[in-house]
Amino acid sequence: MSGYGGQPPSWEDPYAGQQYGGQHYGGQQYGGQQHGGPGYDPYGYGPGYGYGPPGVPYATRSNGSAIAALVCCCVAVVLCCNVLAIPGIITGAIAVGRASTDPESSRRLTIWSWSILAVSFVIAIILFVVFVLIGAASEPDYDSTGGGI
């Protein structure tokens, strides 16, 4: 096993069982505590703490919500002609970019992106209703008696 965090398959501790500083070293008792050897935790946190397996980041956060907000805002602009969602695209893109470096800022920007999308849809629905009402009120009133010229 090569790479970070592991030992090669044929590796053995060259200091196991040797004297070090007048005390026995290499997995033996030293000052009432276990020192050295496989599974030794120098900080005393116990199992389950420390670094993960090789190749896996220590702490990962998903940026799926930021990507979904970005895609939904793009769909709203392109398919629904909702130009009010353009700020949602901007905040979603910044959130995706900051997901690995500043997760807290990315989370806040994702919330802003979803909020902008929701507000833009509410404004679009209100404008649609207003235009329908204006269109209905501006139609000429035709006489139903058939009178004419």
Side-chain angles (χ1 to χ4, degrees):
M1 171 192 251
S2 63
Y4 299 106
Q7 297 174 347
S10 63
W11 187 83
E12 292 184 22
D13 187 8
Y15 299 107
Q18 294 183 8
Q19 294 288 336
Y20 182 72
Q23 299 292 328
H24 191 59
Y25 177 78
Q28 301 299 320
Q29 294 290 333
Y30 176 75
Q33 297 178 0
Q34 175 77 15
H35 289 279
Y40 169 64
D41 183 14
Y43 301 108
Y45 291 126
Y49 289 93
Y51 299 107
V56 178
Y58 179 67
T60 60
R61 288 198 176 226
S62 173
N63 61 347
S65 182
I67 293 172
L70 178 62
V71 169
C72 289
C73 287
C74 288
V75 167
V77 170
V78 173
L79 297 181
C80 302
C81 298
N82 192 349
V83 296
L84 300 174
I86 292 175
I89 293 173
I90 295 168
T91 55
I94 295 171
V96 169
R98 289 187 184 176
S100 61
T101 58
D102 190 5
E104 185 61 30
S105 174
S106 175
R107 186 183 68 80
R108 284 193 308 263
L109 285 168
T110 302
I111 292 170
W112 271 102
S113 183
W114 282 115
S115 302
I116 290 170
L117 179 66
V119 168
S120 71
F121 270 117
V122 168
I123 291 173
I125 291 170
I126 290 171
L127 287 175
F128 179 75
V129 169
V130 166
F131 287 143
V132 167
L133 291 176
I134 289 173
S138 68
E139 287 186 19
D141 191 21
Y142 294 107
D143 188 14
S144 61
T145 58
I149 314 180

